Amino acid sequence: MNSEFTNMVMVTDPKTGLSAVIERTKSWCGYAFPGGHVERGESFYDSAVREVYEETGLCVHSLESCGVIQWIHADTDDRYVVMCYRTSDFSGVLKERCDEGELCWMSMSELESAPSNNDFQKYLPLFRGGFCEAVGVYNDSGNLSFRYIK
């Protein structure tokens, strides 16, 4: 069994209610919140702050944990774990582009219907609140099951 730890952060502008998103084109295509991999020796929180800055140019503060998503491969038990955070406490100006793709501000209703090939819409209930965990089981043919845990 292998485990891969990542993060994703919903950065919301308190003045507009819009969230910073990336239209990813590098490793997979579609809209998502900024985030990335946890580096060796790095805390989940510190990795989230670093990833947001690297991808967006925004300095985030006061991150609130809003759950974890686990993707479990049914045959190998490999796990891809996403630590989810949210904040409206940031400084700086959103970059137009990063290595992962184009950046913009979007409303939650726009995100609900935005194209993404990584099941990003399944992440949104955790960022909204009400759930502490989500678990998806998949195999090489696709998703087998997905459930939220309160």
Side-chain angles (χ1 to χ4, degrees):
M1 173 177 83
N2 293 308
S3 298
E4 187 174 350
F5 296 101
T6 65
N7 59 66
M8 189 176 281
V9 183
M10 181 174 76
V11 181
T12 304
D13 185 330
K15 295 175 186 164
T16 65
L18 301 177
S19 297
V21 296
I22 302 172
E23 184 178 7
R24 294 186 180 272
T25 56
K26 189 175 177 183
S27 55
W28 49 268
C29 295
Y31 289 93
F33 296 132
H37 289 86
V38 178
E39 294 181 357
R40 185 181 174 105
E42 189 175 40
S43 74
F44 294 129
Y45 187 98
D46 291 344
S47 71
V49 170
R50 176 187 53 76
E51 284 287 350
V52 170
Y53 181 73
E54 288 176 1
E55 291 184 347
T56 69
L58 301 175
C59 294
V60 292
H61 315 279
S62 307
L63 299 184
E64 174 189 358
S65 176
C66 54
V68 61
I69 299 174
Q70 294 185 70
W71 292 100
I72 303 169
H73 194 285
D75 300 323
T76 65
D77 204 32
D78 287 350
R79 290 177 188 245
Y80 183 84
V81 180
V82 185
M83 304 302 294
C84 299
Y85 295 94
R86 63 181 167 229
T87 189
S88 58
D89 185 2
F90 68 91
S91 59
V93 177
L94 186 68
K95 296 194 272 189
E96 291 183 21
R97 165 162 209 73
C98 69
D99 289 346
E100 300 291 332
E102 302 282 327
L103 294 138
C104 64
W105 295 98
M106 291 181 80
S107 69
M108 192 61 80
S109 61
E110 290 173 308
L111 283 169
E112 289 172 346
S113 60
S116 190
N117 67 1
N118 75 331
D119 291 318
F120 177 63
Q121 282 75 17
K122 290 181 178 175
Y123 290 44
L124 295 178
L126 273 83
F127 289 101
R128 282 195 183 108
F131 298 102
C132 66
E133 186 175 352
V135 180
V137 179
Y138 70 97
N139 62 20
D140 294 335
S141 300
N143 288 339
L144 301 175
S145 67
F146 192 86
R147 67 187 175 103
Y148 298 99
I149 300 166
K150 287 195 175 218

